[in-house]
Amino acid sequence: MRLQKFMASAGIASRRKSEELILQGRVKVNGKTVSKLGIKINPEKDIVEVDGQKVENFQEKIYIMLNKPKGVVSTVSDPRGRPTVIDLIKGVKQRIYPVGRLDYDTEGLLLLTNDGELTYKITHPKHEIKKTYLAKVKGFVNKEELYTLKKGVNLEDGITAPAQVRFLKYEEGISTLIIKIHEGRNRQIRRMCDSINHPVIYLKRLKIGVLSLKNLKPGNWRKLTKKEIDYLKKITNLK
């Protein structure tokens, strides 16, 4: 088994984050530091350490839905001392991490787990899992601008994939939109709206696929049901 896959399955981090830890020289196999990708290990025999802590081969999988409030970072820790999403999850023994991210100023649905394989598949663009957002933007968004968002806008990191955009209402100088995308670029919704000169003033993620917050209040969390877990594994082709 590849080292990064083992780390992800053990709940250390997602596969991509595990690769970063390896490249940073923070991982040892049988007492020797590994700093290159591609190494394979025997989970039954080899001893893996991350930052000096032995990695246990098995950890019970856990899947959590959080209604992330504004003013919280979507990371395990923060060098600036800001509150993190992990600070909101009390009473969970497993080491968990967020599936993707929401901006500091963005609210809404965020998944957390210790299932590295599922995290990898959910965040991989090829699965095209739609995320639904409620966005309030400055000014009146006309039909031409809505069409621009739908067909894709040219950002500094390339043209965005086609999006589903629905105009809800316009009140007191603010347009409210429902936007569905399957990409996960950094601050993508905000940058898309900036590109048509309608900056976002409020953003909330409502859904990931068919999973929704329903009555979950900001700052609160719950475990996913078996049906919800099976749904995520089905749409990501995870056995």
Side-chain angles (χ1 to χ4, degrees):
M1 179 185 286
R2 290 191 182 275
L3 178 57
Q4 60 266 34
K5 185 175 181 179
F6 168 76
M7 291 168 60
S9 66
I12 295 301
S14 68
R15 196 190 302 183
R16 291 177 182 173
K17 183 62 178 179
S18 294
E19 291 175 351
E20 292 178 15
L21 294 173
I22 293 169
L23 293 174
Q24 291 167 3
R26 296 167 60 182
V27 181
K28 290 183 179 181
V29 177
N30 299 327
K32 295 183 179 179
T33 300
V34 176
S35 57
K36 293 183 179 180
L37 302 179
I39 186 173
K40 292 185 177 182
I41 67 161
N42 183 337
E44 303 301 322
K45 295 182 179 180
D46 295 323
I47 297 174
V48 178
E49 297 172 273
V50 177
D51 294 335
Q53 298 293 318
K54 182 181 177 182
V55 178
E56 298 298 334
N57 191 9
F58 174 79
Q59 186 177 208
E60 182 182 0
K61 297 293 187 291
I62 185 170
Y63 308 86
I64 287 172
M65 176 189 292
L66 169 71
N67 187 346
K68 176 195 168 304
K70 184 177 179 180
V72 177
V73 293
S74 300
T75 55
V76 174
S77 60
D78 183 65
R80 294 165 58 182
R82 295 173 296 180
T84 74
V85 291
I86 300 300
D87 296 329
L88 301 175
I89 312 297
K90 307 296 184 182
V92 173
K93 296 179 181 179
Q94 295 91 331
R95 179 177 178 177
I96 58 174
Y97 43 84
V99 180
R101 294 187 179 185
L102 287 178
D103 299 334
Y104 182 75
D105 292 324
T106 300
E107 302 177 6
L109 197 162
L110 183 71
L111 299 178
L112 298 98
T113 185
N114 58 355
D115 188 334
E117 284 300 293
L118 183 62
T119 298
Y120 175 76
K121 287 180 175 289
I122 289 176
T123 54
H124 199 291
K126 76 175 183 180
H127 293 290
E128 298 191 0
I129 300 172
K130 286 186 170 60
K131 288 91 172 177
T132 305
Y133 296 82
L134 173 72
K136 295 183 178 181
V137 304
K138 289 184 178 180
F140 177 75
V141 182
N142 60 41
K143 290 184 178 180
E144 183 178 339
E145 292 165 333
L146 287 174
Y147 177 72
T148 298
L149 291 178
K150 290 178 181 179
K151 73 175 182 178
V153 296
N154 193 7
L155 304 178
E156 61 267 25
D157 51 356
I159 298 176
T160 60
Q164 294 177 254
V165 185
R166 182 160 54 97
F167 183 93
L168 288 186
K169 62 182 179 179
Y170 176 72
E171 289 181 348
E172 299 179 353
I174 296 173
S175 295
T176 302
L177 312 174
I178 295 291
I179 303 175
K180 292 185 181 182
I181 60 173
H182 70 259
E183 295 179 294
R185 305 191 198 186
N186 184 42
R187 299 177 65 83
Q188 182 172 339
I189 298 288
R190 295 180 185 276
R191 291 192 291 141
M192 287 171 63
C193 293
D194 283 344
S195 73
I196 60 168
N197 299 313
H198 293 286
V200 170
I201 57 177
Y202 175 82
L203 186 61
K204 181 176 184 178
R205 183 155 69 190
L206 303 176
K207 292 183 178 181
I208 295 177
V210 301
L211 301 189
S212 66
L213 290 168
K214 295 182 180 178
N215 298 322
L216 194 63
K217 295 180 179 180
N220 289 357
W221 63 275
R222 66 170 177 84
K223 293 181 180 179
L224 295 189
T225 64
K226 183 180 184 302
K227 183 178 180 180
E228 290 171 330
I229 296 168
D230 289 344
Y231 163 75
L232 290 174
K233 290 184 177 181
K234 181 179 180 180
I235 62 176
T236 56
N237 298 316
L238 183 65
K239 297 181 179 179

